[in-house]
């Protein structure tokens, strides 16, 4: 059976995982502990590692069962097909989160207009502005050098 990526309503990740587990669907919603600040206190809360995403493991013929949960919006697609995650990748996420190392974990999505620092290649350590994001590349503007750079996603 394959692991698929399901896109959920905002803030519904854990709820959808619980609903799908009750339906007998194997799913995984990786979470991490964050410290949240309110005006009068700080509190540790468990939050999903990936906003809007959970992983479900089921056979291809049972894929529509996930829509029994009202929080499910759609499957994630990659190159026109359902995105499939390998068992090793799920196990790596689980090992990483269960390692016990207290580190601040967050997943950042790059957006057009964001300023980043190039971390590899001949333009290492140069600041760049993301001009365009495609399925395979980023188009970056290196203002300090006066050039445009096209980089493959890593």
């Amino acid at each position: 059976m394959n692991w698929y990526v399901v896109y959920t309503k905002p803030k519904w990740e854990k709820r959808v995982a619980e609903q799908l587990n009750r339906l007998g669907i194997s799913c995984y919603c990786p979470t991490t502990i964050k410290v949240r600040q309110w005006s009068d206190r700080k509190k540790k809360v468990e939050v999903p590692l990936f906003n809007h995403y959970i992983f479900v493991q089921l056979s291809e013929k049972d894929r529509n069962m996930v829509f029994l949960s009202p929080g499910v919006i759609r499957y994630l697609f990659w190159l026109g097909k359902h995105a499939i995650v390998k068992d090793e990748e799920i196990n790596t996420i689980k090992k990483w989160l269960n390692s016990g190392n207290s580190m601040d974990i967050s997943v950042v999505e790059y957006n057009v207009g964001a300023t980043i620092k190039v971390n590899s290649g001949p333009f290492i350590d140069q600041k760049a502005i993301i001009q365009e994001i495609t399925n395979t590349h980023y188009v970056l503007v290196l203002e300090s050098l006066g050039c445009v750079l096209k980089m493959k996603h890593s």
Side-chain angles (χ1 to χ4, degrees), residues 4 11 13 15 20 25 28 30 54-55 57-58 71 86 89 103-104 106 112 115 131 139 146 149 152:
Y4 297 98
K11 311 282 187 206
E13 301 88 352
R15 194 174 330 165
L20 294 178
I25 297 171
Y28 178 52
I54 65 166
F55 304 100
Q57 186 180 37
L58 37 80
K86 296 176 184 168
E89 294 168 327
M103 59 180 92
D104 191 18
S106 63
V112 173
T115 301
Q131 184 179 47
V139 177
L149 178 65
K152 283 187 177 181

Side-chain angles (χ1 to χ4, degrees), residues 20-36:
L20 294 178
N21 277 325
R22 280 196 300 265
L23 291 169
I25 297 171
S26 178
C27 60
Y28 178 52
C29 178
T31 59
T32 186
I33 303 297
K34 294 273 188 183
V35 176
R36 295 288 161 105

Side-chain angles (χ1 to χ4, degrees), residues 6 8-9 12-21 27 54 66 69-72:
V6 173
T8 68
K9 290 180 181 178
W12 273 64
E13 301 88 352
K14 293 192 297 186
R15 194 174 330 165
V16 167
E18 289 170 12
Q19 292 170 348
L20 294 178
N21 277 325
C27 60
I54 65 166
V66 299
S69 170
V72 172

Side-chain angles (χ1 to χ4, degrees), residues 83-147:
I84 295 176
V85 180
K86 296 176 184 168
D87 285 330
E88 307 90 65
E89 294 168 327
I90 295 292
N91 291 333
T92 299
I93 294 169
K94 287 178 179 180
K95 267 198 287 189
W96 184 48
L97 290 174
N98 292 329
S99 68
N101 294 340
S102 60
M103 59 180 92
D104 191 18
I105 300 171
S106 63
V107 177
V108 178
E109 293 181 28
Y110 292 120
N111 295 311
V112 173
T115 301
I116 63 166
K117 192 173 189 180
V118 178
N119 62 6
S120 64
F123 299 105
I124 193 165
D125 293 331
Q126 292 291 320
K127 287 189 178 180
I129 299 171
I130 300 174
Q131 184 179 47
E132 183 182 348
I133 300 173
T134 68
N135 285 342
T136 57
H137 291 83
Y138 293 112
V139 177
L140 307 174
V141 176
L142 300 167
E143 289 181 334
S144 61
L145 300 175
C147 67

